[in-house]
Amino acid sequence: MAKTPLRVAVTGAAGNIGYALLFRIASGQMFGADQPLILQLLEIPVEGPQKALKGVAMELEDCAFPLLSDMVLTGEADVAFKDVNWALLVGSKPRGPGMERADLLKDNGKIFIAQGQSIDKVAADDCRVAVVGNPCNTNVMIAANQAKRLPKDRFTAMVRLDENRARAQLAKKAGVAIDAVTDTFIYGNHSPTMFADFTHAKIGGKAAAEVIGDEAWLKNDFLPAVGKRGAAIIEARGLSSAASAANALVDHVRDLVTPGKIHSVGVESHGRYGFADGVWAGMPVKSTAAGYEVIDSYEMDDFAKSKIALTNDELVGERDTVKDLLG
C-alpha cells in the first residue's frame, strides 16, 4: 500500500542552498526511496524571488521525480507551513557589508518569530523543524520560543555541516576513508567558536588523537580549519558553501528519522555539558522512534571544557542580544 505523502516546507526555496537541496529531497535522499512528498516552498513575496521560485518548480517538474506528488509555491508563511510534517527553515537575512552582528541577530529574530508563530499555528501536530538559516542556534531558540502547541524538542538547529567537515579533515590527515572516522561530535554554536571534539573521535575504532599522533595539529590546525571552513570556501569560490550545507541538511533530517543514528544536532541545552540553561547548542544525540535522546555521558577534559566555555559565552551573548524578542 502506498504511503501518505509527507508535507515538507522549505523556506528560501529559490536561494543557493534551496536550489542544491530540493532535487535531493524530491529524489528520496532525505526521507527514503518509497516516501512520496508534497513540497511547500516559501520565498520572499516580491517579484524577483517569486519568479525564480517558479523556475525552480519548473525544473523539479522536468525531473519527473516519481515521489514528488505536488508542489505549493507561495510568499505567505501560513500557506507554506499549512499541515506540514517537516519545516526546513533555510532562508535567513545574510550579513551585509558593515552590518553589526547584533543587527543581524535582531533582523533575523523578527523573521524567525513570524515563522515560529506560523508553524505553531498551522503545521501538522507531528511537525518537526530544522533551522539552517544563520545564526541558526539563536534563530531556532527564537522560533521554538514561539511554540505553544508544539514541544520545543521538535525544533533543531543544523550543526551537521561542521561534523561532516571535521570528519573529512580527520580522514584526510590520517589517510583513511571517511567511514573510518566516527564519534566526531560538534559542541556549541555553528560559528568559528564551535568545538569539534577530537578527544572522543575514533579512526578505525581507535582514538583519533592516538592515530594522528599530533596534538599540536589537532588543537592549532584542525579546530580552526573546521571552524573557519565556510570563510575559506567563500574566499576560494566567491560564494558561500551551498551544496555542502544542503548535503548536511539531508544528513541531519535523514538521521533524525532513522532510529539508532548517533550524530550532532543543535538542541536546547538544559544545562548539559556546561552550557547555560536556555541556549541551543550542538551536542551528540541518538535518534529514536519518537524523536531523539541527548547523549550526555561524554567526560570532557580541561581543554574540551575550555573550548565549550568559549562557545557557550558566544551563545549567551547572542541570547542576551535578542532577549527582547523572546517574550
Side-chain angles (χ1 to χ4, degrees):
M1 195 167 118
K3 291 185 177 180
T4 303
L6 273 181
R7 290 184 177 269
V8 182
V10 180
T11 72
N16 288 331
I17 296 175
Y19 188 72
L21 174 69
L22 293 174
F23 302 90
R24 297 191 58 187
I25 298 175
S27 71
Q29 292 179 53
M30 184 177 278
F31 295 104
D34 62 345
Q35 177 58 64
L37 303 161
I38 297 169
L39 289 176
Q40 304 190 181
L41 308 179
L42 180 66
E43 255 303 346
I44 301 166
V46 295
E47 185 181 354
Q50 286 295 312
K51 188 175 179 183
L53 183 59
K54 285 178 185 168
V56 174
M58 289 163 71
E59 283 204 76
L60 282 161
E61 287 174 353
D62 292 350
C63 288
F65 290 119
L67 297 174
L68 186 55
S69 302
D70 198 6
M71 285 185 279
V72 175
L73 315 182
T74 184
E76 297 178 36
D78 284 3
V79 175
F81 297 128
K82 177 70 174 165
D83 298 328
V84 295
N85 310 105
W86 273 90
L88 309 180
L89 308 187
V90 175
S92 63
K93 181 174 180 177
R95 190 170 182 171
M99 189 179 192
E100 294 294 330
R101 186 170 175 82
D103 294 330
L104 179 71
L105 284 161
K106 289 178 178 177
D107 285 355
N108 274 301
K110 292 166 191 167
I111 295 168
F112 284 84
I113 284 174
Q115 292 186 356
Q117 289 172 344
S118 178
I119 290 165
D120 200 52
K121 180 170 68 173
V122 303
D125 288 340
D126 67 352
C127 181
R128 297 169 76 176
V129 181
V131 177
V132 178
N134 281 320
C136 63
N137 295 63
T138 295
N139 288 341
V140 76
M141 175 183 68
I142 291 167
N145 203 64
Q146 310 311 310
K148 306 290 182 273
R149 177 173 62 99
L150 299 174
K152 281 188 178 181
D153 64 7
R154 300 275 188 82
F155 292 74
T156 58
M158 188 183 86
V159 292
R160 182 59 176 267
L161 180 52
D162 302 307
E163 178 183 319
N164 288 349
R165 287 167 169 169
R167 290 181 65 217
Q169 291 293 317
L170 290 173
K172 189 175 175 183
K173 179 70 172 176
V176 298
I178 193 78
D179 286 349
V181 181
T182 59
D183 301 84
T184 309
F185 303 119
I186 303 299
Y187 292 83
N189 206 1
H190 173 61
S191 83
T193 68
M194 61 90 207
F195 176 52
D197 181 19
F198 60 82
T199 69
H200 293 98
K202 291 187 170 58
I203 298 174
K206 297 177 183 174
E210 188 182 309
V211 173
I212 286 171
D214 188 344
E215 187 180 5
W217 179 84
L218 288 165
K219 291 181 175 178
N220 304 323
D221 297 295
F222 166 72
L223 289 180
V226 177
K228 297 175 182 176
R229 183 72 165 183
I233 288 168
I234 291 172
E235 172 66 27
R237 188 171 167 258
L239 294 166
S240 62
S241 42
S244 54
N247 177 73
L249 183 56
V250 172
D251 290 344
H252 173 98
V253 175
R254 185 197 61 235
D255 284 1
L256 278 173
V257 299
T258 306
K261 287 286 187 179
I262 297 174
H263 51 121
S264 308
V265 178
V267 297
E268 189 174 11
S269 75
H270 292 293
R272 299 181 186 96
Y273 289 107
F275 286 103
D277 199 22
V279 303
W280 292 65
M283 54 187 70
V285 309
K286 182 177 184 178
S287 300
T288 66
Y292 60 83
E293 297 168 351
V294 174
I295 299 169
D296 57 6
S297 54
Y298 284 103
E299 292 288 335
M300 295 296 175
D301 62 17
D302 288 344
F303 176 79
K305 286 176 182 175
S306 72
K307 291 298 182 183
I308 287 173
L310 285 173
T311 195
N312 178 67
D313 286 348
E314 184 178 57
L315 288 168
V316 170
E318 289 186 8
R319 183 187 63 189
D320 291 347
T321 299
V322 300
K323 63 179 182 292
D324 56 323
L325 303 179
L326 295 174

